[in-house]
Amino acid sequence: MTTGWPKYLLITLALAFLGANIALPLAAVFVEAFAKGWDAYVEGIIEPDALAAVRLTLLVAAIAVPFNIVFGLAASWAITKFDFRGKAVLITMIDLPFSVSPVVSGLIYVLLFGLQGWFGESLRDAGVQIIFAVPGIVLATVFVTFPFVARELIPLMQEQGRDEEEAARSLGAGGWTVFRRVTLPNIKWGLLYGVLLCNARAMGEFGAVSVVSGHIRGLTNTMPLHVEILYNEYNFVAAFAVASLLAGLALVTLLVKSLLEWRFADTIAGSGH
Amino acid sequence: MTVETHDLVKRFGGFAALEGVTLQARPGEFLALLGPSGSGKTTLLRIMAGLDFPDSGRVTFDGVDMSDRPARERGIGFVFQHYALFRHMSVADNIAFGLTVRPRRDRPAASAIAARVKELLDLVQLPDLGKRYPAQLSGGQRQRVALARALAVEPRVLLLDEPFGALDAKVRKDLRRWLRAVHDASHVTSVFVTHDQEEALDLADRVVVMNKGRIEQVDTPDAVYNRPATAFVCDFLGNANRFECALRGGGVEIGGLTLPNAAPPAGDGRGQAFVRPHEFDIAAAGQPGIAATLRRVAHTGALAALECEVEGRIVEATSARPPEGLTPGDALTLVPTTVRAYPA
Amino acid sequence: MATRTLLGYRRSILPGFGLTFGFTVFALSLIVLIPLSAVFIKTAGMGWDQFVAVAFSRRALLAYRLSFGAAAIAALINAVFGLLVAWVLVRTDFPGKRIVSALVDLPFALPTAVAGIALTALYASNGWIGQYLEPAGIKVAFSPLGVVVALTFIGLPFVVRTVEPVLADLGAEVEEAAASLGATRWQSFTRVVFPAVAPALATGFALAFARGVGEYGSVIFIAGNLPFRSEIAPLLIVQQLEQYNYAGATAIAATMLVASFAVLMAINALQAWDRGRREA
């Protein structure tokens, strides 16, 4: 029980910390982006290399996110609907990418597919380029976002148990029908929650993608990489303009995430990430 | 110690939890706050404790104004509904907590604290469980530890919020007897909140019946049960049947009979009458009284419970000697022996 | 059927175990396990002396010290303020609380590169905050202090989101119980609240620390990347790669991986201990 001024002091302290640590950086992005007015802002965004970066970012997310949805559904189905040994180990391994430095996440693919990598020569002979090309960027993005959907669904489906699926089976429903008519409606909001976070990370990943991309303007630059290049060229307005798009994406993600948490708190596992 | 509240008002947003509550708990008294959920009884208890503060009104202990003092300065013992035991502390550490947080100059020596803990563990009949953790105890045992913890600081008043609410029926009854015995030995002024009328009537010296943030009646268990002051109290205590009636010249007109009113006198006019199940005589159909149709007879030991229908509503009557040969569908007459009626 | 008995798999009325389990293990191996093992196989092939020469050179040691040191300091700052923020979010009510609560997660959602340039803009000598710190002799941007600032930004939600549910689960009642027994606010915090949330706080600290050690995007803009002074370990890996020194990059990566797996194991142990304590 805390009443009176100590409570307000603590609230003030917490808000001051959040203001300096969270709100100010967020505000800085937009203020810097509009530092030279609307025209300069728009120019930074509609410039061809910037648009190419947007397109590449969307393409990468459009591949990585669906892959991780399929993986997340398969993994959580296998883990929560069946009993087998080594389950805990499997869950830990799925979480592994979270504890690997983004730079190392990129490096591992360079070691495999880079020119001096294990498969480097055979790939070159076959005329396939993975590192410093789009496939490498997709691979690195899939790696860093690998656990997002699965780790949202596993606790949720664990809690929901198997009774409903088993009841549907006993009533004669086929496997696919059980999944589509019974499981999916129960987990749809949790799934959306996981997809949301997965997508935010996929579009925003920097370290891993930076290692495998090669930074070729207009070709292998994603939006975060494009921000870095512009920033290092002291083109601050353009850098912050592109950054503001990513910040906007982050805000939309937070908004939808909060709405899901308020509206469907009971059908989202809500485990912190 | 005398605990008094003076005209307490407390609102949560638009909801009025207390609307002018004035009350006195006498020294050594065991007082029950009884009422349905939302009646304000828990809010009243928390304000007495200093865990909540009223919008207006005062709380005094032996005449000393306590209204602005926080809980820790009031010298109270509070037993929480879900016990609020500190789960990272052993039972003994939980009980000792109130003594160990005292400023150094008031704090008993470690050996004195240990002795006090042992004494309390004996009192709550858990002498060997001092080293256990709350998670390792049963519900009833946790309840006893919570009481021991509250008693350890030798409170001037003991406040209990639904002390048996989270326990099953059997444990509840045993603990009730035991709590009354503990109270009789300690003579600490005690106030407890309950929504269970049986608990309040069985345990308390006096019962405070609350409804919608107001006090309906404060009296002994016998008085609130047999002489309810308001229709609400009559309806809430005991499982009374309700009828429309007319009040005239101090009498109650019901089912063609005029009966004396067992409730406080009221003026003439329309009224609502309450008759408890055991306050009926069963007579043959056509006699003066309330015409009813028998639906079901259940023999529960010594008494027979008759479920009757009166004008489309179910009325319950119990009788030690029901007329022989009655079967469901038969017509009969219910003759009230005691009626309490209040203006509608 | 041999693998099924090996896994202890029991026949189930539900279909799809073979398909989903197979795909899970296949994808996990292909995307995560085999690529990760490449780091260790490559390291094993390079010989002890060469490994030590690269992974434990003076420059690398200073980079580890900065990465681990700054991550520890930032995680500590977050442990203090994260607990405060969690407490305020759980126990108090104020206008706009939902928005504040949502914004706590911003570091999860904001791309690290964006955070990096925004923080640099704030703490540069002409920035909103830097212009007041610089005259006071405090240089944040392009110094080790900048690394701490960036990692503090990144780590906050880990602590808040780990502590929050435990604090909510603890309930306001125990704080009231302490107060009713005569405890001061400080005693109620140190003897009741803190011991109860300590394991969660330690877990949050470890999560923030682990993330901070490997963090790259938000740091490189603000750190200034001066060799021997404000150069973090992940940056060293990138530099080795840019010089096509795969062996050097791998040696440092292997060292960092071992360290982060150790932290991961510590986190798992902490969480298991906490769960055991809460449910015992």
Short mmCIF file of all heavy atoms in Angstrom, two decimals, chain A residues 107-165:
data_model
loop_
_atom_site.label_atom_id
_atom_site.label_comp_id
_atom_site.label_asym_id
_atom_site.label_seq_id
_atom_site.Cartn_x
_atom_site.Cartn_y
_atom_site.Cartn_z
N LEU A 107 27.20 -14.27 -39.90
CA LEU A 107 28.49 -14.92 -40.15
C LEU A 107 28.35 -16.40 -40.50
O LEU A 107 29.03 -16.89 -41.41
CB LEU A 107 29.37 -14.76 -38.89
CG LEU A 107 30.63 -15.62 -38.82
CD1 LEU A 107 31.67 -15.07 -39.79
CD2 LEU A 107 31.18 -15.69 -37.42
N ILE A 108 27.43 -17.11 -39.79
CA ILE A 108 27.33 -18.55 -40.02
C ILE A 108 26.99 -18.88 -41.47
O ILE A 108 27.45 -19.87 -42.01
CB ILE A 108 26.31 -19.21 -39.06
CG1 ILE A 108 24.95 -18.54 -39.14
CG2 ILE A 108 26.82 -19.14 -37.62
CD1 ILE A 108 23.89 -19.16 -38.24
N TYR A 109 26.21 -18.02 -42.12
CA TYR A 109 25.87 -18.29 -43.52
C TYR A 109 27.01 -17.94 -44.45
O TYR A 109 27.18 -18.55 -45.50
CB TYR A 109 24.58 -17.54 -43.91
CG TYR A 109 23.39 -18.10 -43.17
CD1 TYR A 109 22.82 -17.42 -42.10
CD2 TYR A 109 22.88 -19.33 -43.52
CE1 TYR A 109 21.76 -17.94 -41.42
CE2 TYR A 109 21.81 -19.88 -42.83
CZ TYR A 109 21.25 -19.18 -41.78
OH TYR A 109 20.22 -19.73 -41.09
N VAL A 110 27.81 -16.94 -44.05
CA VAL A 110 29.00 -16.64 -44.84
C VAL A 110 29.96 -17.83 -44.78
O VAL A 110 30.57 -18.21 -45.78
CB VAL A 110 29.70 -15.36 -44.30
CG1 VAL A 110 30.99 -15.11 -45.06
CG2 VAL A 110 28.77 -14.17 -44.42
N LEU A 111 30.07 -18.44 -43.59
CA LEU A 111 30.96 -19.60 -43.45
C LEU A 111 30.50 -20.76 -44.31
O LEU A 111 31.31 -21.53 -44.82
CB LEU A 111 31.00 -20.06 -41.98
CG LEU A 111 31.68 -19.13 -40.99
CD1 LEU A 111 31.70 -19.74 -39.61
CD2 LEU A 111 33.09 -18.80 -41.46
N LEU A 112 29.18 -20.88 -44.53
CA LEU A 112 28.67 -21.98 -45.35
C LEU A 112 28.72 -21.65 -46.83
O LEU A 112 29.21 -22.42 -47.64
CB LEU A 112 27.22 -22.31 -44.95
CG LEU A 112 26.99 -22.98 -43.62
CD1 LEU A 112 25.50 -23.29 -43.45
CD2 LEU A 112 27.79 -24.29 -43.54
N PHE A 113 28.19 -20.46 -47.16
CA PHE A 113 27.95 -20.17 -48.59
C PHE A 113 28.84 -19.10 -49.16
O PHE A 113 28.74 -18.78 -50.34
CB PHE A 113 26.47 -19.76 -48.78
CG PHE A 113 25.49 -20.74 -48.23
CD1 PHE A 113 24.61 -20.41 -47.22
CD2 PHE A 113 25.46 -22.02 -48.75
CE1 PHE A 113 23.71 -21.33 -46.73
CE2 PHE A 113 24.55 -22.96 -48.25
CZ PHE A 113 23.68 -22.61 -47.23
N GLY A 114 29.71 -18.48 -48.35
CA GLY A 114 30.60 -17.45 -48.85
C GLY A 114 31.63 -18.04 -49.80
O GLY A 114 31.77 -19.26 -49.87
N LEU A 115 32.36 -17.17 -50.47
CA LEU A 115 33.31 -17.64 -51.47
C LEU A 115 34.32 -18.61 -50.87
O LEU A 115 34.68 -19.61 -51.47
CB LEU A 115 34.05 -16.45 -52.10
CG LEU A 115 33.52 -16.03 -53.47
CD1 LEU A 115 34.44 -14.99 -54.09
CD2 LEU A 115 33.43 -17.26 -54.40
N GLN A 116 34.79 -18.30 -49.63
CA GLN A 116 35.73 -19.21 -48.99
C GLN A 116 35.03 -20.23 -48.11
O GLN A 116 35.66 -20.94 -47.34
CB GLN A 116 36.72 -18.44 -48.11
CG GLN A 116 37.53 -17.40 -48.87
CD GLN A 116 38.35 -16.56 -47.90
OE1 GLN A 116 38.89 -17.06 -46.93
NE2 GLN A 116 38.44 -15.27 -48.16
N GLY A 117 33.68 -20.27 -48.20
CA GLY A 117 32.92 -21.14 -47.31
C GLY A 117 32.91 -22.57 -47.80
O GLY A 117 33.47 -22.90 -48.85
N TRP A 118 32.23 -23.46 -47.01
CA TRP A 118 32.20 -24.88 -47.34
C TRP A 118 31.66 -25.14 -48.73
O TRP A 118 32.19 -25.92 -49.48
CB TRP A 118 31.32 -25.61 -46.32
CG TRP A 118 31.93 -25.70 -44.96
CD1 TRP A 118 33.18 -25.31 -44.62
CD2 TRP A 118 31.32 -26.23 -43.80
NE1 TRP A 118 33.41 -25.54 -43.30
CE2 TRP A 118 32.27 -26.11 -42.75
CE3 TRP A 118 30.07 -26.79 -43.51
CZ2 TRP A 118 32.02 -26.53 -41.46
CZ3 TRP A 118 29.83 -27.21 -42.23
CH2 TRP A 118 30.78 -27.09 -41.20
N PHE A 119 30.55 -24.48 -49.06
CA PHE A 119 29.92 -24.75 -50.35
C PHE A 119 30.22 -23.65 -51.36
O PHE A 119 29.62 -23.60 -52.42
CB PHE A 119 28.40 -24.88 -50.18
CG PHE A 119 28.00 -25.86 -49.15
CD1 PHE A 119 27.40 -25.46 -47.97
CD2 PHE A 119 28.24 -27.22 -49.35
CE1 PHE A 119 27.05 -26.39 -47.00
CE2 PHE A 119 27.89 -28.15 -48.39
CZ PHE A 119 27.30 -27.74 -47.20
N GLY A 120 31.14 -22.75 -51.02
CA GLY A 120 31.39 -21.57 -51.83
C GLY A 120 31.75 -21.91 -53.26
O GLY A 120 31.13 -21.42 -54.21
N GLU A 121 32.72 -22.83 -53.43
CA GLU A 121 33.20 -23.10 -54.79
C GLU A 121 32.15 -23.80 -55.63
O GLU A 121 31.92 -23.43 -56.78
CB GLU A 121 34.47 -23.96 -54.72
CG GLU A 121 35.69 -23.09 -54.51
CD GLU A 121 36.98 -23.91 -54.55
OE1 GLU A 121 37.03 -24.91 -55.32
OE2 GLU A 121 37.90 -23.57 -53.80
N SER A 122 31.49 -24.79 -55.02
CA SER A 122 30.48 -25.51 -55.82
C SER A 122 29.35 -24.58 -56.22
O SER A 122 28.80 -24.71 -57.32
CB SER A 122 29.97 -26.73 -55.07
OG SER A 122 30.11 -26.59 -53.69
N LEU A 123 28.98 -23.64 -55.32
CA LEU A 123 27.92 -22.70 -55.65
C LEU A 123 28.35 -21.80 -56.80
O LEU A 123 27.59 -21.50 -57.71
CB LEU A 123 27.54 -21.85 -54.43
CG LEU A 123 26.69 -22.56 -53.36
CD1 LEU A 123 26.58 -21.68 -52.13
CD2 LEU A 123 25.31 -22.88 -53.91
N ARG A 124 29.64 -21.34 -56.73
CA ARG A 124 30.11 -20.46 -57.79
C ARG A 124 30.10 -21.19 -59.12
O ARG A 124 29.69 -20.66 -60.14
CB ARG A 124 31.54 -19.97 -57.47
CG ARG A 124 32.02 -18.87 -58.40
CD ARG A 124 33.49 -18.59 -58.19
NE ARG A 124 34.28 -19.81 -58.33
CZ ARG A 124 35.52 -19.95 -57.91
NH1 ARG A 124 36.14 -18.93 -57.31
NH2 ARG A 124 36.18 -21.07 -58.05
N ASP A 125 30.54 -22.45 -59.10
CA ASP A 125 30.56 -23.23 -60.35
C ASP A 125 29.16 -23.41 -60.90
O ASP A 125 28.94 -23.45 -62.11
CB ASP A 125 31.20 -24.60 -60.09
CG ASP A 125 32.66 -24.44 -59.71
OD1 ASP A 125 33.19 -23.31 -59.92
OD2 ASP A 125 33.25 -25.40 -59.17
N ALA A 126 28.18 -23.55 -59.99
CA ALA A 126 26.80 -23.73 -60.44
C ALA A 126 26.15 -22.40 -60.80
O ALA A 126 25.01 -22.37 -61.25
CB ALA A 126 25.99 -24.44 -59.36
N GLY A 127 26.88 -21.29 -60.56
CA GLY A 127 26.33 -19.98 -60.92
C GLY A 127 25.28 -19.48 -59.95
O GLY A 127 24.47 -18.63 -60.29
N VAL A 128 25.26 -20.01 -58.71
CA VAL A 128 24.29 -19.58 -57.72
C VAL A 128 24.97 -18.67 -56.71
O VAL A 128 26.01 -19.01 -56.16
CB VAL A 128 23.68 -20.80 -56.98
CG1 VAL A 128 22.70 -20.32 -55.90
CG2 VAL A 128 23.02 -21.73 -57.97
N GLN A 129 24.40 -17.49 -56.50
CA GLN A 129 24.97 -16.62 -55.49
C GLN A 129 24.01 -16.47 -54.32
O GLN A 129 22.85 -16.14 -54.48
CB GLN A 129 25.29 -15.24 -56.07
CG GLN A 129 26.15 -14.46 -55.09
CD GLN A 129 26.72 -13.21 -55.70
OE1 GLN A 129 26.31 -12.77 -56.77
NE2 GLN A 129 27.70 -12.63 -55.01
N ILE A 130 24.50 -16.76 -53.12
CA ILE A 130 23.67 -16.65 -51.92
C ILE A 130 24.12 -15.47 -51.07
O ILE A 130 23.35 -14.59 -50.71
CB ILE A 130 23.71 -17.97 -51.11
CG1 ILE A 130 22.95 -19.05 -51.90
CG2 ILE A 130 23.07 -17.76 -49.74
CD1 ILE A 130 22.92 -20.39 -51.25
N ILE A 131 25.44 -15.46 -50.77
CA ILE A 131 25.97 -14.35 -49.98
C ILE A 131 26.13 -13.12 -50.88
O ILE A 131 26.45 -13.23 -52.06
CB ILE A 131 27.32 -14.76 -49.36
CG1 ILE A 131 27.12 -15.94 -48.43
CG2 ILE A 131 27.96 -13.60 -48.63
CD1 ILE A 131 26.07 -15.72 -47.35
N PHE A 132 25.89 -11.95 -50.31
CA PHE A 132 25.86 -10.69 -51.06
C PHE A 132 24.74 -10.70 -52.09
O PHE A 132 24.83 -10.08 -53.16
CB PHE A 132 27.20 -10.38 -51.75
CG PHE A 132 28.35 -10.33 -50.78
CD1 PHE A 132 29.64 -10.63 -51.18
CD2 PHE A 132 28.14 -9.97 -49.44
CE1 PHE A 132 30.69 -10.60 -50.27
CE2 PHE A 132 29.19 -9.93 -48.55
CZ PHE A 132 30.47 -10.24 -48.96
N ALA A 133 23.68 -11.44 -51.80
CA ALA A 133 22.53 -11.50 -52.70
C ALA A 133 21.27 -11.73 -51.86
O ALA A 133 21.35 -11.96 -50.65
CB ALA A 133 22.70 -12.62 -53.72
N VAL A 134 20.13 -11.69 -52.52
CA VAL A 134 18.85 -11.78 -51.80
C VAL A 134 18.70 -13.09 -51.01
O VAL A 134 18.25 -13.06 -49.86
CB VAL A 134 17.67 -11.59 -52.79
CG1 VAL A 134 16.34 -11.81 -52.08
CG2 VAL A 134 17.74 -10.19 -53.38
N PRO A 135 19.08 -14.27 -51.56
CA PRO A 135 18.89 -15.51 -50.77
C PRO A 135 19.58 -15.45 -49.40
O PRO A 135 19.03 -15.91 -48.40
CB PRO A 135 19.51 -16.59 -51.65
CG PRO A 135 19.43 -16.05 -53.03
CD PRO A 135 19.60 -14.55 -52.90
N GLY A 136 20.76 -14.87 -49.34
CA GLY A 136 21.48 -14.76 -48.08
C GLY A 136 20.72 -13.89 -47.09
O GLY A 136 20.63 -14.19 -45.89
N ILE A 137 20.17 -12.78 -47.61
CA ILE A 137 19.41 -11.87 -46.74
C ILE A 137 18.19 -12.59 -46.18
O ILE A 137 17.87 -12.48 -45.00
CB ILE A 137 18.99 -10.61 -47.54
CG1 ILE A 137 20.23 -9.85 -47.99
CG2 ILE A 137 18.09 -9.72 -46.71
CD1 ILE A 137 19.95 -8.68 -48.89
N VAL A 138 17.52 -13.36 -47.05
CA VAL A 138 16.34 -14.10 -46.59
C VAL A 138 16.74 -15.12 -45.52
O VAL A 138 16.10 -15.21 -44.46
CB VAL A 138 15.64 -14.81 -47.77
CG1 VAL A 138 14.55 -15.75 -47.27
CG2 VAL A 138 15.07 -13.78 -48.73
N LEU A 139 17.82 -15.86 -45.79
CA LEU A 139 18.27 -16.87 -44.82
C LEU A 139 18.57 -16.24 -43.46
O LEU A 139 18.14 -16.73 -42.42
CB LEU A 139 19.52 -17.58 -45.35
CG LEU A 139 19.30 -18.79 -46.23
CD1 LEU A 139 20.64 -19.31 -46.75
CD2 LEU A 139 18.57 -19.88 -45.46
N ALA A 140 19.33 -15.15 -43.47
CA ALA A 140 19.71 -14.50 -42.22
C ALA A 140 18.46 -14.00 -41.49
O ALA A 140 18.37 -14.09 -40.26
CB ALA A 140 20.68 -13.35 -42.49
N THR A 141 17.49 -13.49 -42.26
CA THR A 141 16.27 -12.98 -41.64
C THR A 141 15.45 -14.12 -41.03
O THR A 141 14.92 -14.00 -39.93
CB THR A 141 15.42 -12.23 -42.68
OG1 THR A 141 16.24 -11.22 -43.27
CG2 THR A 141 14.21 -11.57 -42.03
N VAL A 142 15.36 -15.26 -41.78
CA VAL A 142 14.64 -16.40 -41.24
C VAL A 142 15.29 -16.85 -39.93
O VAL A 142 14.61 -17.14 -38.95
CB VAL A 142 14.61 -17.57 -42.26
CG1 VAL A 142 14.14 -18.85 -41.59
CG2 VAL A 142 13.72 -17.22 -43.43
N PHE A 143 16.62 -16.85 -39.91
CA PHE A 143 17.32 -17.28 -38.69
C PHE A 143 16.96 -16.40 -37.50
O PHE A 143 16.58 -16.90 -36.45
CB PHE A 143 18.83 -17.25 -38.93
CG PHE A 143 19.64 -17.70 -37.74
CD1 PHE A 143 20.03 -19.02 -37.60
CD2 PHE A 143 20.01 -16.80 -36.75
CE1 PHE A 143 20.77 -19.45 -36.50
CE2 PHE A 143 20.75 -17.22 -35.63
CZ PHE A 143 21.12 -18.54 -35.51
N VAL A 144 17.06 -15.08 -37.64
CA VAL A 144 16.85 -14.22 -36.47
C VAL A 144 15.38 -14.18 -36.04
O VAL A 144 15.08 -13.89 -34.89
CB VAL A 144 17.36 -12.76 -36.68
CG1 VAL A 144 18.86 -12.75 -36.84
CG2 VAL A 144 16.67 -12.10 -37.84
N THR A 145 14.46 -14.49 -36.97
CA THR A 145 13.04 -14.46 -36.58
C THR A 145 12.49 -15.85 -36.31
O THR A 145 11.31 -16.02 -36.03
CB THR A 145 12.18 -13.81 -37.69
OG1 THR A 145 12.39 -14.54 -38.90
CG2 THR A 145 12.53 -12.37 -37.90
N PHE A 146 13.38 -16.86 -36.39
CA PHE A 146 12.97 -18.26 -36.31
C PHE A 146 12.06 -18.57 -35.12
O PHE A 146 11.03 -19.22 -35.26
CB PHE A 146 14.24 -19.12 -36.26
CG PHE A 146 14.03 -20.57 -36.57
CD1 PHE A 146 13.73 -20.98 -37.85
CD2 PHE A 146 14.13 -21.52 -35.57
CE1 PHE A 146 13.55 -22.31 -38.14
CE2 PHE A 146 13.95 -22.86 -35.85
CZ PHE A 146 13.65 -23.26 -37.13
N PRO A 147 12.39 -18.11 -33.89
CA PRO A 147 11.59 -18.56 -32.73
C PRO A 147 10.27 -17.81 -32.54
O PRO A 147 9.45 -18.27 -31.76
CB PRO A 147 12.50 -18.25 -31.53
CG PRO A 147 13.82 -17.84 -32.10
CD PRO A 147 13.56 -17.36 -33.47
N PHE A 148 10.06 -16.67 -33.21
CA PHE A 148 8.96 -15.77 -32.81
C PHE A 148 7.60 -16.44 -32.77
O PHE A 148 6.90 -16.39 -31.76
CB PHE A 148 8.91 -14.56 -33.76
CG PHE A 148 9.82 -13.46 -33.33
CD1 PHE A 148 11.06 -13.30 -33.92
CD2 PHE A 148 9.45 -12.57 -32.34
CE1 PHE A 148 11.91 -12.28 -33.53
CE2 PHE A 148 10.30 -11.56 -31.94
CZ PHE A 148 11.53 -11.41 -32.53
N VAL A 149 7.16 -17.06 -33.88
CA VAL A 149 5.81 -17.63 -33.93
C VAL A 149 5.71 -18.83 -33.00
O VAL A 149 4.76 -18.96 -32.23
CB VAL A 149 5.43 -18.01 -35.37
CG1 VAL A 149 4.05 -18.64 -35.41
CG2 VAL A 149 5.47 -16.77 -36.27
N ALA A 150 6.73 -19.70 -33.05
CA ALA A 150 6.68 -20.92 -32.26
C ALA A 150 6.60 -20.62 -30.77
O ALA A 150 5.81 -21.21 -30.04
CB ALA A 150 7.91 -21.79 -32.55
N ARG A 151 7.39 -19.66 -30.31
CA ARG A 151 7.44 -19.44 -28.87
C ARG A 151 6.19 -18.72 -28.39
O ARG A 151 5.89 -18.71 -27.20
CB ARG A 151 8.71 -18.69 -28.50
CG ARG A 151 8.50 -17.24 -28.28
CD ARG A 151 9.64 -16.49 -27.66
NE ARG A 151 10.61 -17.27 -26.95
CZ ARG A 151 11.29 -16.81 -25.91
NH1 ARG A 151 11.05 -15.62 -25.48
NH2 ARG A 151 12.19 -17.53 -25.33
N GLU A 152 5.43 -18.10 -29.30
CA GLU A 152 4.14 -17.53 -28.92
C GLU A 152 3.08 -18.63 -28.83
O GLU A 152 2.25 -18.64 -27.94
CB GLU A 152 3.73 -16.47 -29.95
CG GLU A 152 2.43 -15.77 -29.67
CD GLU A 152 2.38 -15.09 -28.31
OE1 GLU A 152 3.40 -14.50 -27.90
OE2 GLU A 152 1.33 -15.18 -27.65
N LEU A 153 3.15 -19.57 -29.78
CA LEU A 153 2.10 -20.59 -29.86
C LEU A 153 2.27 -21.72 -28.86
O LEU A 153 1.29 -22.26 -28.36
CB LEU A 153 2.05 -21.17 -31.28
CG LEU A 153 1.51 -20.24 -32.37
CD1 LEU A 153 1.45 -20.99 -33.70
CD2 LEU A 153 0.12 -19.74 -32.00
N ILE A 154 3.51 -22.10 -28.56
CA ILE A 154 3.72 -23.28 -27.72
C ILE A 154 3.05 -23.13 -26.35
O ILE A 154 2.25 -23.98 -25.95
CB ILE A 154 5.22 -23.64 -27.61
CG1 ILE A 154 5.71 -24.17 -28.95
CG2 ILE A 154 5.46 -24.68 -26.51
CD1 ILE A 154 7.21 -24.33 -29.05
N PRO A 155 3.33 -22.04 -25.60
CA PRO A 155 2.66 -21.94 -24.29
C PRO A 155 1.14 -21.84 -24.41
O PRO A 155 0.41 -22.39 -23.59
CB PRO A 155 3.23 -20.66 -23.68
CG PRO A 155 4.06 -20.01 -24.72
CD PRO A 155 4.25 -20.95 -25.84
N LEU A 156 0.67 -21.16 -25.46
CA LEU A 156 -0.77 -21.00 -25.65
C LEU A 156 -1.44 -22.35 -25.88
O LEU A 156 -2.45 -22.69 -25.26
CB LEU A 156 -1.01 -20.06 -26.83
CG LEU A 156 -2.47 -19.81 -27.22
CD1 LEU A 156 -3.23 -19.16 -26.09
CD2 LEU A 156 -2.53 -18.94 -28.46
N MET A 157 -0.86 -23.14 -26.81
CA MET A 157 -1.47 -24.43 -27.14
C MET A 157 -1.30 -25.43 -26.01
O MET A 157 -2.13 -26.30 -25.81
CB MET A 157 -0.89 -24.97 -28.46
CG MET A 157 -1.46 -24.23 -29.67
SD MET A 157 -0.58 -24.54 -31.20
CE MET A 157 -1.00 -26.24 -31.53
N GLN A 158 -0.21 -25.27 -25.25
CA GLN A 158 -0.01 -26.12 -24.08
C GLN A 158 -1.16 -25.93 -23.10
O GLN A 158 -1.73 -26.87 -22.57
CB GLN A 158 1.29 -25.72 -23.39
CG GLN A 158 1.90 -26.83 -22.59
CD GLN A 158 3.20 -27.28 -23.20
OE1 GLN A 158 4.11 -26.47 -23.40
NE2 GLN A 158 3.30 -28.54 -23.52
N GLU A 159 -1.49 -24.64 -22.89
CA GLU A 159 -2.53 -24.30 -21.93
C GLU A 159 -3.89 -24.80 -22.40
O GLU A 159 -4.73 -25.20 -21.60
CB GLU A 159 -2.53 -22.79 -21.78
CG GLU A 159 -3.25 -22.26 -20.58
CD GLU A 159 -3.20 -20.76 -20.59
OE1 GLU A 159 -2.15 -20.20 -20.26
OE2 GLU A 159 -4.20 -20.14 -20.97
N GLN A 160 -4.12 -24.76 -23.73
CA GLN A 160 -5.43 -25.15 -24.24
C GLN A 160 -5.63 -26.66 -24.27
O GLN A 160 -6.75 -27.14 -24.38
CB GLN A 160 -5.65 -24.56 -25.63
CG GLN A 160 -5.81 -23.04 -25.55
CD GLN A 160 -6.03 -22.40 -26.89
OE1 GLN A 160 -5.74 -23.00 -27.92
NE2 GLN A 160 -6.53 -21.18 -26.89
N GLY A 161 -4.53 -27.41 -24.19
CA GLY A 161 -4.66 -28.86 -24.09
C GLY A 161 -5.07 -29.53 -25.38
O GLY A 161 -5.03 -28.93 -26.46
N ARG A 162 -5.46 -30.79 -25.28
CA ARG A 162 -5.77 -31.58 -26.48
C ARG A 162 -7.22 -32.02 -26.53
O ARG A 162 -7.64 -32.65 -27.48
CB ARG A 162 -4.91 -32.85 -26.50
CG ARG A 162 -3.45 -32.57 -26.35
CD ARG A 162 -2.68 -33.85 -26.10
NE ARG A 162 -1.32 -33.50 -25.70
CZ ARG A 162 -0.41 -34.37 -25.34
NH1 ARG A 162 -0.69 -35.65 -25.33
NH2 ARG A 162 0.79 -33.96 -25.00
N ASP A 163 -7.97 -31.70 -25.47
CA ASP A 163 -9.34 -32.24 -25.36
C ASP A 163 -10.18 -31.93 -26.59
O ASP A 163 -10.85 -32.80 -27.14
CB ASP A 163 -10.04 -31.66 -24.13
CG ASP A 163 -9.39 -32.15 -22.87
OD1 ASP A 163 -8.42 -32.93 -22.99
OD2 ASP A 163 -9.82 -31.73 -21.78
N GLU A 164 -10.14 -30.65 -27.02
CA GLU A 164 -11.04 -30.27 -28.11
C GLU A 164 -10.68 -31.01 -29.40
O GLU A 164 -11.56 -31.45 -30.13
CB GLU A 164 -10.99 -28.76 -28.32
CG GLU A 164 -11.61 -28.00 -27.16
CD GLU A 164 -11.61 -26.50 -27.38
OE1 GLU A 164 -11.87 -26.06 -28.51
OE2 GLU A 164 -11.33 -25.77 -26.42
N GLU A 165 -9.36 -31.12 -29.68
CA GLU A 165 -8.94 -31.83 -30.88
C GLU A 165 -9.36 -33.29 -30.81
O GLU A 165 -9.83 -33.87 -31.79
CB GLU A 165 -7.43 -31.72 -31.07
CG GLU A 165 -6.96 -30.38 -31.66
CD GLU A 165 -6.84 -29.31 -30.60
OE1 GLU A 165 -7.08 -29.59 -29.41
OE2 GLU A 165 -6.50 -28.16 -30.97
#
